[in-house]
Amino acid sequence: MPSTLFDLHGKVALVTGACGGLGIALCEALGAQGAAIVVSDRDAEACAQLVQKLGAAGIDATSLPMDLADISGIAQQAARALAWKGQVDILVCNAGVQGPAGPLADIKDADWQLVMDVNLRAVLELGTQLLPAMAARGGGSVILMSSIAGLRGNKAIGLYGLSKAALAQLARNLAVEWGPAGIRVNAISPGLIRTPLAAQLLDNAQFMQRRLALTPLRRVGEPAEVAGAAVMLASAAGAFITGHNLVIDGGTTIGDGN
């Protein structure tokens, strides 16, 4: 097996939602394989701190604070990302919002707008701005962070699930549209991953007993395990994979509780 299979030297990766638990792991994993990282998140101070942390590990990185709820500002931010090194070869759309919990009928219009804008529309807008430049360079890789919430019904986070299901479909659509230009587009659907965002669930003993009983591996996932899959999809190791939704859930969605 060639040693360069996962090599990302000479590549530039833009990671949104970079400063969360999963985002940090994505930046570290991509950077460890040689990619230069555009660190993007709403929190400018957190972006600067992560850039410093990555730099201390020998990873070339720059900060690009961006609020994806501001659709009109995405084109300018995408241009800034491209201007850093003249290219973006890997786009990892990891940012997302859950929105309110509860029945779909109770969700307010503003919540619908926010969740769909951040989780779906902003991703399409980023792609619209960046994929032509990728195509001009001969190709690239786009990774959309979906969720197992988009694979099954939800009575608590239905709006989130709808947006994530649409995101996986967006990956398939873009894969068909941009495949002839050498651009691969895939989705990742994590299950329960040990991040600060999941802390409340992880601390709920009753929930965890039920969830782990449905999970063949009988444990939660680690951020690095999702990030490793992203590296594969971004690199030559995943060169013939496109339009796929990779489920990383320890078997939760196929478990029967036995």
Side-chain angles (χ1 to χ4, degrees):
M1 183 177 295
S3 61
T4 58
L5 202 56
F6 297 91
D7 183 29
L8 296 175
H9 284 87
K11 305 294 186 182
V12 176
L14 168 58
V15 181
T16 69
C19 298
L22 185 52
I24 292 171
L26 288 163
C27 291
E28 291 176 339
L30 292 164
Q33 297 302 320
I37 310 296
V38 181
V39 173
S40 184
D41 205 288
R42 288 186 304 172
D43 188 333
E45 182 178 351
C47 285
Q49 291 174 353
L50 181 53
V51 166
Q52 185 176 19
K53 178 183 179 183
L54 294 172
I59 297 171
D60 190 9
T62 190
S63 173
L64 183 69
M66 177 165 45
D67 183 358
L68 292 176
D70 178 16
I71 303 295
S72 64
I74 290 176
Q76 181 180 8
Q77 300 292 58
R80 288 179 59 199
L82 284 169
W84 181 42
K85 292 186 181 291
Q87 65 192 78
V88 172
D89 309 284
I90 302 161
L91 172 60
V92 183
C93 294
N94 174 63
V97 294
Q98 178 180 296
L104 289 171
D106 293 344
I107 295 172
K108 303 294 187 290
D109 288 349
D111 295 320
W112 275 89
Q113 191 72 49
L114 176 64
V115 172
M116 290 299 180
D117 275 356
V118 172
N119 293 2
L120 184 63
R121 190 178 170 203
V123 173
L124 177 58
E125 181 63 19
L126 265 177
T128 299
Q129 298 300 324
L130 293 174
L131 267 59
M134 278 189 193
R137 282 180 50 81
S141 177
V142 179
I143 300 166
L144 310 184
M145 200 59 64
S146 185
S147 169
I148 63 169
L151 297 174
R152 56 188 188 181
N154 300 275
K155 63 180 179 181
I157 52 172
L159 177 57
Y160 177 77
L162 283 172
S163 70
K164 292 300 186 176
L167 198 60
Q169 179 61 30
L170 178 61
R172 290 185 283 268
N173 288 348
L174 292 178
V176 171
E177 289 184 21
W178 289 94
I183 296 174
R184 298 179 296 104
V185 187
N186 292 285
I188 293 177
S189 286
L192 183 61
I193 308 298
R194 195 181 307 280
T195 65
L197 189 64
Q200 187 174 357
L201 293 177
L202 296 173
D203 291 338
N204 184 329
Q206 184 177 7
F207 169 84
M208 289 303 299
Q209 181 179 14
R210 183 171 66 251
R211 170 56 68 91
L212 295 183
L214 291 170
T215 303
L217 291 185
R218 296 296 192 264
R219 64 176 180 86
V220 300
E222 301 297 334
E225 293 170 327
V226 178
V231 169
M232 182 271 291
L233 291 173
S235 68
F240 204 51
I241 302 173
T242 195
H244 184 62
N245 183 14
L246 178 57
V247 179
I248 305 176
D249 68 349
T252 299
T253 50
I254 57 95
D256 62 359
N258 293 317

